[in-house]
């Protein structure tokens, strides 16, 4: 089995310091959390950014500042900006995270519209998805195809048939938002992507480590972090993203799966080496 790539989703757009005081907002907090995750074994940092008061933003300037600060502390980390941003942001606003210099090597591409809890709907029309894919291809950015249910794999494949994606594809199965986070559903998703694709699983909330364990034994890769889960165990808030990455690494070690460093992660994902 390939070594395991651990992605740390350190911040997200939705969780707040009221949920867990360790959620980072400022540039220095975001960089420090990235470093804790990196030191614990994460090679990919999935990045959202905030204003100092915690408001989510897709500002190009703020992304630039945060990416530069992260790379000063973790020079070979793979920084993966979000193009999802927060519910309600416009496409142009969301795309700003791809406009930083140098262009990111990796970024998310959300492959469908979904119920995001309560009254929230995260809108991604076919044209939005195709346009984002086209822009990422032009900028040489590998998309991580964010799929929250099976239909989103089918939409990604439409983009593939239009020539908007470059193979091998990489998927992130985000389970526990719209689709349930079960091994049965994860197996269904894994069986629904083209041969030769790579994949990560992101289990939301209490499913984070169950899905991580499943991803580790099934030969996928895993995402942990505050964006998806705030707890190190039931009722106990995690002190940092590093603690969550460390726990994923311990599960992998128990199961005999080695952790990929950034260079190995770039090779596995087919990213251009830096
Ligand atoms: N915050 C969500 C609305 C992504 O990063 O691409 C979108 C999201 C997915 O987190
Ligand atoms: Zn995200």
């Amino acid at each position: 089995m390939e070594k395991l790539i651990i992605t740390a989703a350190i911040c997200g757009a939705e969780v707040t310091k009221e949920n867990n005081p360790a959620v980072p907002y400022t540039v220095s907090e975001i960089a420090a959390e990235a470093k804790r995750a990196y030191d614990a074994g994460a090679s990919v940092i999935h990045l959202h950014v905030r204003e100092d008061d915690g408001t989510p933003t897709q500002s190009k300037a703020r992304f630039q500042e945060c990416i530069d600060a992260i790379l000063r502390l973790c020079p070979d980390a793979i920084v993966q900006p979000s193009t999802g941003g927060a519910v309600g942001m416009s496409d142009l606003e969301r795309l700003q995270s791809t406009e930083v210099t140098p262009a990111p090597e990796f970024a998310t591409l959300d492959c469908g519209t979904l119920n995001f809890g309560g009254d929230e709907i995260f809108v991604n029309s076919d044209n939005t998805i195709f346009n984002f894919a086209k822009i990422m291809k032009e900028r040489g950015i590998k998309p991580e195809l964010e799929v929250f249910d099976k239909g989103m794999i089918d939409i990604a494949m439409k983009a593939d048939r239009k020539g908007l994606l470059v193979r091998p594809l990489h998927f992130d199965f985000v389970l526990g938002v719209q689709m349930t986070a079960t091994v049965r559903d994860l197996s269904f998703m894994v069986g629904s992507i083209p041969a030769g694709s790579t994949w990560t699983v992101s289990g939301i909330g209490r499913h984070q480590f169950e899905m991580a364990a499943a991803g580790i034994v099934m030969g996928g890769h895993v995402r942990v972090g505050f964006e998806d889960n705030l707890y190190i165990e039931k009722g106990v808030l995690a002190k940092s993203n590093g603690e969550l990455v460390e726990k994923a690494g311990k599960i992998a070690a128990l199961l005999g799966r080695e952790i990929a460093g950034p260079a190995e992660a770039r090779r596995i994902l087919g990213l251009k080496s830096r």
Side-chain angles (χ1 to χ4, degrees):
M1 223 180 256
E2 281 284 12
K3 289 188 181 179
L4 176 74
I5 302 169
I6 303 179
T7 296
I10 58 173
C11 174
E14 290 80 22
V15 291
T16 66
K17 285 189 190 291
E18 281 72 53
N19 304 131
N20 182 331
V23 171
Y25 292 166
T26 66
V27 175
S28 60
E29 286 172 351
I30 284 176
E33 272 302 295
K35 171 88 165 114
R36 289 184 192 105
Y38 171 86
D39 286 345
S43 48
V44 180
I45 305 296
H46 169 65
L47 188 65
H48 290 254
V49 301
R50 309 287 186 100
E51 304 292 355
D52 285 350
D53 67 0
T55 307
T57 174
Q58 286 291 106
S59 148
K60 173 182 165 182
R62 191 67 165 189
F63 264 98
Q64 189 76 59
E65 269 188 286
C66 288
I67 293 171
D68 292 348
I70 291 170
L71 292 178
R72 271 196 295 276
L73 297 182
C74 331
D76 60 350
I78 299 166
V79 181
Q80 178 201 68
S82 169
T83 67
V87 168
M89 288 178 171
S90 71
D91 289 5
L92 285 179
E93 212 175 344
R94 285 166 53 182
L95 279 165
Q96 289 178 86
S97 62
T98 66
E99 292 164 9
V100 295
T101 310
E105 50 191 324
F106 204 23
T108 60
L109 172 56
D110 293 277
C111 293
T113 295
L114 72 146
N115 283 10
F116 213 70
D119 291 324
E120 305 259 276
I121 298 178
F122 179 35
V123 177
N124 293 284
S125 69
D126 279 12
N127 285 345
T128 291
I129 297 161
F130 300 153
N131 186 39
F132 277 38
K134 180 170 173 284
I135 289 170
M136 286 191 205
K137 189 174 177 191
E138 285 164 3
R139 294 183 183 158
I141 303 168
K142 176 158 181 156
E144 176 176 85
L145 303 163
E146 305 297 311
V147 294
F148 295 74
D149 68 27
K150 161 66 168 61
M152 296 191 194
I153 296 177
D154 302 323
I155 296 174
M157 297 322 296
K158 276 198 225 171
D160 185 54
R161 285 194 293 280
K162 285 175 174 289
L164 299 172
L165 301 177
V166 178
R167 295 216 185 181
L169 307 180
H170 180 75
F171 291 84
D172 179 26
F173 305 129
V174 188
L175 301 185
V177 182
Q178 176 150 288
M179 187 167 172
T180 56
T182 62
V183 172
R184 185 196 67 161
D185 283 353
L186 176 58
S187 304
F188 178 56
M189 299 293 268
V190 172
S192 303
I193 59 177
S197 304
T198 51
W199 59 272
T200 293
V201 62
S202 304
I204 301 301
R206 66 196 162 86
H207 302 292
Q208 180 152 91
F209 292 106
E210 293 164 16
M211 288 296 102
I216 290 164
V217 293
M218 289 167 70
H221 303 282
V222 306
R223 179 171 112 175
V224 295
F226 287 155
E227 176 165 349
D228 303 336
N229 165 50
L230 299 160
Y231 293 87
I232 191 70
E233 60 185 78
K234 192 169 181 207
V236 182
L237 289 172
K239 292 190 189 68
S240 72
N241 282 278
E243 224 187 349
L244 298 171
V245 172
E246 191 184 359
K247 182 166 171 174
K250 280 185 186 161
I251 297 170
L254 283 171
L255 294 168
R257 184 112 182 251
E258 285 181 73
I259 307 297
E264 289 156 319
R266 282 190 175 88
R267 177 187 56 74
I268 294 166
L269 294 166
L271 299 174
K272 287 180 235 109
S273 41
R274 298 234 132 186

